[in-house]
Amino acid sequence: MPANILDASALLHALPNVLPPEKKKLDSPQDAIAALIHTVFTVLGFRLVSTDESDPAQTYESNVLPREWNQHGPGNYAFRYKHEQSSLEFLVKVVKLGSRTLVNSIAIETDKTATLDISTNDFTSPSFFPHDLSAQNSPPLVHGFISSNRIDDFVSQLKLTTLQKLMPGLRKEGYTEQADTNAGPSQPRGPEGPPPARPRPQQPPYAPDDVYPGAQPRNPLEIGRRDRDPFPSNIFVPPPLFPDSSGDGMFVGPNHPIFGPGMRGRGPGGMGPWAGDGFLPPLGAPPGARFDPVGPGPLPPPPPFPGQSPNQRRGPFGGQEPDPDDFPPPGSRDMFM
């Protein structure tokens, strides 16, 4: 198996050969990163045609950088390449952005882009620079990149984010593409953000048909019939197709829905001791309220109206059943009152 041509030691050996013969000096960590990137492209067979984004293409023997290659450093660097296995031209720009370094690349004819964003101090040692490779007894260049492992990590990221996107399937002895270990179905998915806010329409706590839970369905055309016919139904008439709608009119009687089994009172069948929903005061209603207790019950019958005998029935049900209250007030027919 051929040796890895992008090994850290191989790149460190090749890097001084691509620097200008009269200026083998790296002034900043960004100089070192840009020179390392150019070394990687050179080893893979890319041909340098310019160190400016808009200058015409030139020929550089052995891909040696011109003297002015870092004249805009450490802010930005530009390299334009071509490759014998592609008809495209590639532009690589290295940009200093605060404490980070961005490597932006593009295949110009196809607008295919790639980006690598790294923390500069994760891969370089700022105190090592400026560094002159031609000086006698100069420390090894690997110290400027912290260690060989850091160089391998950087090259690995450069392959995944830049080389394999700009020129997939590149054939070069000693070079192999690598799979992205952070992608694929076997990898756990990262935490997802909260779902987008969606307006929720305000819904009533219950639908209009559920005002009295547990009540049987009724014919909608029968609603309000008791307003026109407040008296009890004829017992000899056959039962209707729909349940009786008695109690839904203007008069409150024992069959009104508020006394039905759907109410959760404290007495049997959901009723309180004086009918209602079980939460009324002990006598069924506050004093003076227009409410007739539903009997029979422990209370004595109310006093009769003027002109009414004590034994006369009050209302259609007699006893203490609800009083329809349809009698005129006492003395209302006396024109002199």
Side-chain angles (χ1 to χ4, degrees):
M1 181 177 179
N4 180 15
I5 59 176
L6 297 182
D7 181 71
S9 59
L11 294 175
L12 288 173
H13 178 75
L15 191 151
N17 298 328
V18 299
L19 294 178
E22 66 279 8
K23 186 185 177 184
K24 294 184 178 295
K25 183 179 181 182
L26 300 174
D27 295 327
S28 64
Q30 288 74 22
D31 275 9
I33 293 175
L36 180 61
I37 293 173
H38 176 62
T39 303
V40 170
F41 275 76
T42 299
V43 169
L44 292 177
F46 286 85
R47 178 168 51 89
L48 180 68
V49 296
S50 178
T51 57
D52 188 270
E53 185 175 355
S54 57
D55 283 353
Q58 303 182 40
T59 300
Y60 296 89
E61 185 178 356
S62 301
N63 268 16
V64 176
L65 293 170
R67 182 180 180 85
E68 67 276 3
W69 74 277
N70 61 348
Q71 62 180 345
H72 301 295
N76 62 83
Y77 310 79
F79 306 98
R80 284 164 48 201
Y81 299 98
K82 293 185 72 68
H83 199 281
E84 62 180 6
Q85 297 180 17
S86 174
S87 60
L88 304 177
E89 184 173 307
F90 306 96
L91 172 64
V92 180
K93 299 189 72 173
V94 182
V95 180
K96 178 180 181 294
L97 191 64
S99 62
R100 306 192 67 83
T101 298
L102 273 62
V103 183
N104 298 321
S105 309
I106 184 173
I108 298 177
E109 291 80 2
T110 64
D111 289 338
K112 184 186 298 183
T113 62
T115 299
L116 171 61
D117 179 7
I118 62 171
S119 174
T120 307
N121 292 342
D122 285 350
F123 297 94
T124 59
S125 177
S127 60
F128 185 81
F129 302 97
H131 177 69
D132 189 355
L133 281 73
S134 60
Q136 294 183 354
N137 301 324
S138 61
L141 181 59
V142 65
H143 294 166
F145 296 98
I146 302 177
S147 67
S148 297
N149 291 335
R150 292 278 75 192
I151 297 177
D152 291 335
D153 292 342
F154 175 78
V155 173
S156 176
Q157 294 188 37
L158 185 66
K159 287 173 61 176
L160 286 173
T161 62
T162 303
L163 293 169
Q164 294 179 191
K165 287 188 176 182
L166 295 181
M167 197 169 177
L170 175 64
R171 300 181 303 276
K172 183 73 173 179
E173 185 177 2
Y175 168 79
T176 56
E177 293 185 345
Q178 65 186 67
D180 188 355
T181 57
N182 294 326
S186 61
Q187 296 296 325
R189 299 180 60 183
E192 298 181 355
R198 299 180 184 274
R200 294 184 177 181
Q202 295 293 332
Q203 296 289 348
Y206 46 77
D209 294 338
D210 296 335
V211 175
Y212 305 109
Q216 297 180 350
R218 298 182 297 172
N219 183 357
L221 300 179
E222 288 289 308
I223 298 177
R225 185 185 65 80
R226 294 292 289 167
D227 289 344
R228 303 187 301 272
D229 183 17
F231 299 101
S233 303
N234 191 343
I235 60 174
F236 300 103
V237 177
L241 296 177
F242 293 88
D244 187 18
S245 61
S246 62
D248 62 353
M250 62 187 296
F251 300 112
V252 178
N255 293 329
H256 195 277
I258 66 172
F259 306 126
M263 304 303 293
R264 297 295 182 263
R266 294 174 294 190
M271 292 186 177
W274 307 107
D277 59 0
F279 296 95
L280 294 174
L283 296 181
R290 295 191 61 188
F291 180 84
D292 296 318
V294 178
L299 294 180
F305 282 100
Q308 182 182 21
S309 63
N311 297 327
Q312 186 176 353
R313 289 153 54 102
R314 297 183 64 241
F317 300 101
Q320 298 185 45
E321 297 299 340
D323 184 359
D325 293 333
D326 56 356
F327 297 104
S332 62
R333 296 180 181 179
D334 188 350
M335 60 180 297
F336 297 103
M337 288 191 63

